[in-house]
Amino acid sequence: MKNLSLLASLLGLAAASSVVNVPGMNLEARDDPEDLMVFVCNDGLDEICTNMCYGAYCASIGTGLKYDQPSSSTKRDRRKAAGCIASGGNRCSTKKGHASGFQCDEYPFASSVPINGASTRLNRCVPAAQNRKQGGIISAFYKSSYCTGNNGGKCQFSVEFSNAGDVMYCDKQDCDNDDDNDNEIIGPGGTANPGDSAGDGTDDDPTAGQKKRAAKTRTGLGRRSAGALVYRTSSGLELDLPGGAQIGQRAFVVLPRNTTLWDEQAQFGDPNQIKELHGDEGEDEEDYEYMLANLEIREDTITEEITSAV
């Protein structure tokens, strides 16, 4: 009985300590951090990361996003707002004189809204293969337990950029770079009209981006962002995260099992669906399921802060 009384006293003390400030101890409660959707930028995602970093850090859209399970018409309106759907095709399409093999990448994703309430949506013309890789990563995240276990599939997360030392804007600087700013276009806003289309391969040109190109030589992990903290995850990954992280924070990382297959899937698209047109809605999350079997989806947690990146 004495043991039970002692246990009850200890539990009561612990409960009281969680809500009462104790001198010399920092017991201030903190909100749970958002789950991290980590993009390893040097893995064939440099242009995609450039666009996301510009939107997040230079256009004040931020890295915090919410997947709100929008309807197809809502996603279409968001692509229009970003400038990726327009009358006669968007600026990345051959219909508007752009080089072939490119697609219009929007930030924030058409499937999401900024947590900070920003209304800006922007776009950048990126290689079609990179756009598909990004689509595969986003699709895998939405199908993971991170999202499926939250609020009926809706979930909030923070986009992070690892191995982005050579990617413009990911260092939160160079926002006024005159050599690149013309590539980043703030969208016109508004809603899509019946005659609007993408015209860049995401709607009515199933062969866009399929021209075989020489594969780039991989250079290992790539350069980490200077000054960014480096963290170890529960699966042993070491990630530099410019935005920082908290111990125990969940981090979602997608890595290809077969990098050659990953590149080919991204370059040529789904061989079973490549001739199925998507109207003018662009490629959606379900269009990337053919990639998932080749992707190692690590649902990690941050376990240790290692050191500052160099």
Side-chain angles (χ1 to χ4, degrees):
M1 183 64 71
K2 290 182 178 179
N3 290 338
L4 289 177
S5 298
L6 178 59
L7 177 60
S9 299
L10 291 173
L11 289 175
L13 178 60
S17 298
S18 66
V19 295
V20 178
N21 288 329
V22 178
M25 296 183 65
N26 180 14
L27 297 178
E28 182 181 354
R30 295 186 301 178
D31 292 334
D32 288 337
E34 304 293 353
D35 297 331
L36 299 177
M37 180 193 290
V38 181
F39 288 88
V40 183
C41 294
N42 74 296
D43 195 14
L45 293 169
D46 55 305
E47 289 292 316
I48 288 288
C49 286
T50 298
N51 190 42
M52 292 189 290
C53 287
Y54 183 87
Y57 302 134
C58 300
S60 300
I61 296 171
T63 59
L65 302 177
K66 178 181 179 180
Y67 170 52
D68 58 353
Q69 292 185 320
S71 65
S72 294
S73 61
T74 297
K75 284 187 284 189
R76 176 169 154 74
D77 285 341
R78 289 173 181 173
R79 291 189 177 103
K80 167 75 172 185
C84 284
I85 287 181
S87 177
N90 65 51
R91 71 188 186 96
C92 305
S93 69
T94 55
K95 294 179 180 180
K96 291 298 181 72
H98 198 281
S100 63
F102 286 78
Q103 292 180 353
C104 185
D105 177 54
E106 70 270 2
Y107 187 83
F109 317 139
S111 55
S112 69
V113 293
I115 293 175
N116 66 8
S119 59
T120 300
R121 289 181 178 270
L122 53 78
N123 73 80
R124 182 183 182 92
C125 297
V126 302
Q130 292 196 28
N131 210 28
R132 293 192 183 106
K133 283 187 175 183
Q134 181 197 44
I137 292 170
I138 295 171
S139 177
F141 182 85
Y142 290 164
K143 294 177 186 298
S144 73
S145 63
Y146 283 16
C147 278
T148 57
N150 286 285
N151 193 24
K154 299 178 182 180
C155 56
Q156 293 189 175
F157 55 92
S158 181
V159 178
E160 263 293 352
F161 314 102
S162 185
N163 296 117
D166 295 316
V167 179
M168 190 174 295
Y169 309 126
C170 289
D171 59 359
K172 305 180 183 181
Q173 300 178 19
D174 298 321
C175 289
D176 296 323
N177 189 302
D178 293 334
D179 293 334
D180 186 75
N181 280 178
D182 288 344
N183 295 319
E184 296 289 348
I185 302 297
I186 302 296
T191 56
N193 298 311
D196 292 341
S197 67
D200 62 359
T202 57
D203 60 350
D204 60 356
D205 181 7
T207 61
Q210 292 191 65
K211 183 177 180 181
K212 189 68 175 179
R213 298 182 178 184
K216 291 184 179 180
T217 301
R218 294 182 179 272
T219 57
L221 290 176
R223 189 168 69 87
R224 290 172 169 170
S225 298
L229 293 173
V230 181
Y231 299 87
R232 182 173 288 113
T233 72
S234 52
S235 71
L237 288 176
E238 293 185 5
L239 301 171
D240 63 305
L241 302 175
Q246 294 182 24
I247 304 303
Q249 188 170 11
R250 300 196 301 180
F252 179 94
V253 187
V254 174
L255 298 172
R257 302 179 191 278
N258 183 319
T259 56
T260 300
L261 178 59
W262 173 234
D263 289 340
E264 291 178 351
Q265 288 175 327
Q267 192 70 48
F268 296 102
D270 184 356
N272 297 319
Q273 296 181 356
I274 198 63
K275 293 185 179 180
E276 294 184 12
L277 306 185
H278 305 289
D280 50 12
E281 297 176 4
E283 291 176 296
D284 285 326
E285 295 80 46
E286 62 270 17
D287 294 323
Y288 300 100
E289 291 189 1
Y290 69 97
M291 292 183 172
L292 298 185
N294 185 45
L295 296 179
E296 180 183 356
I297 304 169
R298 298 195 184 187
E299 300 186 21
D300 279 3
T301 56
I302 302 296
T303 59
E304 180 184 359
E305 180 182 311
I306 303 175
T307 181
S308 295
V310 294

